[in-house]
Amino acid sequence: MNVSLIYPLLSRSRSLIDENKQYWPPLGIAYIAAVLEKNGHKVNIIDRDALLRKNSMDFDRADRETEAAIESINSDIVGIGGTTPTISDVFYVAKIVKSHNPKRIVITGGPHVTAEPESTLKDCDYIDGVVRGEGEFTMLDLASGMPFDLISGLTYRDKGQIFSNADRPLFQDMDSLPLPARHLLDMKFYTRPSRYISRNLNLRSTSIFTARGCPYQCNFCAGPLFYGRKVRFHSPQRVMQEIRTLIDMYAIEGLYFAEDMFLSDKARAQKFMELFKENKFNKKIKWFAQLRTNIVDRELLDMMKDSGCVQVEYGFESGSQRILDLMGKNVKVEKNIQAARITRSSGLRFQGNIITGYPGETEEDFNKTLKFLWKVRPNTISLNLFMPLPGTSVYKMLKEKSMQVPSWDVIGDPEGFNFNYADMPHKRFERLYMKARISTVLPINLFYFIKYNLNNPIRLFKMLATQFRGVAIKLVRDLYRSLHE
């Protein structure tokens, strides 16, 4: 069969100021595309965010090009991947597809619909089926013409009723997957020099997944629902093959390892570092990875630095032990401080990710987080508002308490988020949050951004001119709100 795979947009208001999403290639659907192609199916990938940027933010033209791309291969199946903040565009695209050809099969997948399969079908009559969990082999069954009622991992409608088949077991042999079909993506577009993937270093960068799954049970995270709790790894040799392809074909300068559990297996990590140096990748690219503070030690960090790593990323989330416990982080504040200290002493930079506004957070907890940030002084801070994601423990808790949750468009959009789950008045929380962005996050981020990009002033000034529009808009809004309170 012919299959179009679509990566949807954020809400229109958020798309106009969000500058980050356009640099991340949609590897999830690229993996699906690779499996389909390997089995003889014709596939194209349509990234609506890329279309929007290439058409000067003209939404109508992006819609027309989406339709034209589907028609270009006369698609039998249209698969739309999506997260919670993009689900409205999933519904919108499904309607466009069906209005042009009601016989086309429209399928959606991703973390959001895995958590809410039946409500997705109830909310959108234009969707025929929902792929729950990993989509490679469920989509392959669909493209091979298997009847819906025989396909594991599928929720579907039939004659006005909704049926859910048994879950599909997670496949274990990660190396049996072909490399993601990046040849179907405009990699020149994604690898433009930017500060996003390379965490404030202006490099031609891209992302890679070398593992799936996470054994931890953070109450705010929906990852294990989608990828499972058992960590499944690509072999170090397979990872080297993919990295060499990225260097040779796309001339990347930076690489971000996007999985949650990059170095949880220390034996694998050591082999990885050895191969990185053996292949001289440490001389060709800089790389970045997410780590948990409870697994790092100085030896591991020194190995990473020696093999070309320049920055790691920690989910500190809070400087309050009480909030960390409520989140189910299973880590101590002291351990986070220790990890920050040994990371800095190793010569690696680090980013600190923070979630604020978590249910039950008090002003005292908030202030502890600010003190923590000034104590550990990350090179980059990502300050995020808590967003209740379907499929998470905290989302379930809020629903059980009959607490209101925001519309899907608003989730993930700090500029449009008017819900307050913190244990303080909304106006007070909003004021603390804005003050933190202006007086803590902005100065630290801006200082290190300029410091680490002075060696390439042309790129630095180009980036300041082209990639800080969203930051400027948010800063003006924050200042306006603070002055009018």
Side-chain angles (χ1 to χ4, degrees):
M1 287 190 182
N2 297 342
V3 182
S4 286
L5 298 174
I6 299 179
Y7 191 47
L9 289 169
L10 297 167
S11 68
R12 294 201 170 198
S13 61
R14 189 176 173 197
S15 291
L16 291 171
I17 64 169
D18 184 276
E19 297 169 319
N20 181 11
K21 185 171 179 283
Q22 61 182 300
Y23 294 98
W24 297 85
L27 294 183
I29 57 177
Y31 269 109
I32 295 172
V35 169
L36 293 175
E37 281 194 327
K38 182 180 179 181
N39 287 273
H41 301 285
K42 186 173 184 179
V43 189
N44 65 357
I45 295 177
I46 306 164
D47 181 348
R48 283 176 48 77
D49 194 76
L51 290 180
L52 183 64
R53 308 286 167 179
K54 293 176 182 179
N55 285 287
S56 303
M57 306 305 290
D58 186 324
F59 288 90
D60 291 336
R61 286 175 64 184
D63 289 347
R64 290 195 295 272
E65 291 201 14
T66 299
E67 297 166 26
I70 295 169
E71 294 299 334
S72 70
I73 65 168
N74 192 24
S75 298
D76 303 293
I77 299 175
V78 174
I80 315 170
T83 57
T84 299
T86 63
I87 197 66
S88 291
D89 197 56
V90 172
F91 294 170
Y92 176 75
V93 172
K95 182 177 180 180
I96 290 176
V97 172
K98 284 292 191 181
S99 65
H100 282 80
N101 186 345
K103 293 183 179 180
R104 276 201 176 105
I105 298 172
V106 176
I107 301 294
T108 186
H112 177 91
V113 300
T114 295
E116 302 278 333
E118 294 188 5
S119 67
T120 296
L121 293 176
K122 291 175 182 177
D123 290 342
C124 184
D125 293 336
Y126 304 101
I127 295 174
D128 298 300
V130 168
V131 172
R132 307 190 312 273
E134 296 171 336
E136 286 89 351
F137 297 103
T138 304
M139 284 298 294
L140 179 60
D141 287 347
L142 285 162
S144 300
M146 185 179 292
F148 278 19
D149 62 337
L150 299 181
I151 300 176
S152 299
L154 186 70
T155 297
Y156 64 99
R157 71 172 86 248
D158 184 30
K159 297 178 182 178
Q161 290 186 284
I162 294 175
F163 300 90
S164 284
N165 298 336
D167 291 341
R168 180 177 292 272
L170 295 170
F171 62 91
Q172 301 303 315
D173 184 7
M174 291 285 288
D175 282 0
S176 67
L177 286 174
L179 296 179
R182 291 185 178 90
H183 61 281
L184 298 179
L185 299 169
D186 183 357
M187 289 300 294
K188 185 176 180 181
F189 175 82
Y190 295 111
T191 56
R192 292 165 294 155
S194 82
R195 65 187 180 89
Y196 295 103
I197 291 182
S198 52
R199 297 314 198 223
N200 270 351
L201 287 179
N202 193 20
L203 303 173
R204 291 192 304 273
S205 304
T206 195
S207 55
I208 186 173
F209 284 95
T210 74
R212 297 183 183 182
C214 179
Y216 296 99
Q217 301 183 48
C218 301
N219 295 329
F220 55 82
C221 180
L225 174 72
F226 194 75
Y227 288 121
R229 297 204 179 278
K230 181 182 178 181
V231 184
R232 295 159 291 144
F233 297 102
H234 283 302
S235 67
Q237 293 79 8
R238 153 64 186 255
V239 176
M240 295 305 115
Q241 175 194 358
E242 187 166 353
I243 293 173
R244 183 173 297 283
T245 300
L246 292 171
I247 293 172
D248 291 347
M249 294 190 66
Y250 308 116
I252 62 166
E253 301 168 318
L255 185 62
Y256 181 84
F257 291 85
E259 65 267 12
D260 297 325
M261 298 300 296
F262 172 61
L263 292 179
S264 58
D265 183 325
K266 289 197 174 183
R268 176 181 180 267
Q270 189 167 10
K271 183 64 175 177
F272 178 91
M273 309 302 174
E274 291 171 358
L275 290 174
F276 221 91
K277 292 196 294 182
E278 183 180 308
N279 286 276
K280 295 183 169 54
F281 294 154
N282 57 322
K283 305 295 184 182
K284 298 177 180 180
I285 62 172
K286 296 177 172 66
W287 58 275
F288 319 83
Q290 301 179 66
L291 301 181
R292 277 189 64 96
T293 59
N294 62 345
I295 66 169
V296 299
D297 55 41
R298 182 58 187 267
E299 180 186 9
L300 176 61
L301 294 170
D302 286 343
M303 288 170 53
M304 293 176 67
K305 187 174 188 296
D306 194 39
S307 62
C309 181
V310 297
Q311 181 163 311
V312 297
E313 191 168 319
Y314 293 123
F316 294 136
E317 316 307 0
S318 178
S320 164
Q321 188 62 54
R322 191 178 74 87
I323 296 301
L324 291 178
D325 293 342
L326 287 175
M327 291 177 169
K329 283 290 294 183
N330 193 30
V331 71
K332 299 296 183 184
V333 172
E334 292 76 16
K335 185 64 177 177
N336 289 344
I337 294 171
Q338 179 188 5
R341 284 175 177 164
I342 63 172
T343 303
R344 188 174 299 283
S345 66
S346 74
L348 289 172
R349 296 191 288 272
F350 67 97
Q351 173 169 310
N353 296 329
I354 298 294
I355 295 174
T356 190
Y358 197 79
E361 184 181 42
T362 65
E363 185 167 344
E364 180 183 1
D365 296 317
F366 191 98
N367 288 331
K368 285 182 178 180
T369 297
L370 292 185
K371 290 178 181 178
F372 168 83
L373 287 172
W374 281 109
K375 185 170 187 176
V376 302
R377 291 185 67 87
N379 302 99
T380 311
I381 299 172
S382 178
L383 183 67
N384 304 288
L385 282 172
F386 163 73
M387 302 292 173
L389 295 173
T392 62
S393 299
V394 69
Y395 179 85
K396 182 179 179 181
M397 180 269 289
L398 293 174
K399 296 288 283 186
E400 288 174 348
K401 291 185 176 180
S402 299
M403 296 181 71
Q404 190 176 7
V405 295
S407 66
W408 305 136
D409 277 351
V410 169
I411 289 182
D413 181 5
E415 303 309 306
F417 193 73
N418 291 313
F419 289 80
N420 176 33
Y421 297 103
D423 191 10
M424 62 183 100
H426 181 70
K427 286 293 183 182
R428 180 58 181 162
F429 172 73
E430 189 176 54
R431 185 173 182 82
L432 289 170
Y433 175 71
M434 288 188 295
K435 182 179 178 182
R437 279 169 49 162
I438 295 169
S439 63
T440 300
V441 178
L442 181 63
I444 290 177
N445 286 356
L446 190 59
F447 171 78
Y448 284 112
F449 167 73
I450 294 173
K451 177 181 177 180
Y452 291 125
N453 288 283
L454 280 174
N455 62 331
N456 194 329
I458 295 176
R459 277 195 185 180
L460 171 61
F461 287 114
K462 183 178 180 181
M463 188 160 50
L464 284 168
T466 61
Q467 296 179 27
F468 278 82
R469 179 175 174 273
V471 173
I473 291 172
K474 293 173 185 177
L475 178 60
V476 170
R477 286 178 178 174
D478 288 350
L479 289 170
Y480 178 84
R481 290 172 183 169
S482 63
L483 290 172
H484 286 78
E485 285 190 355

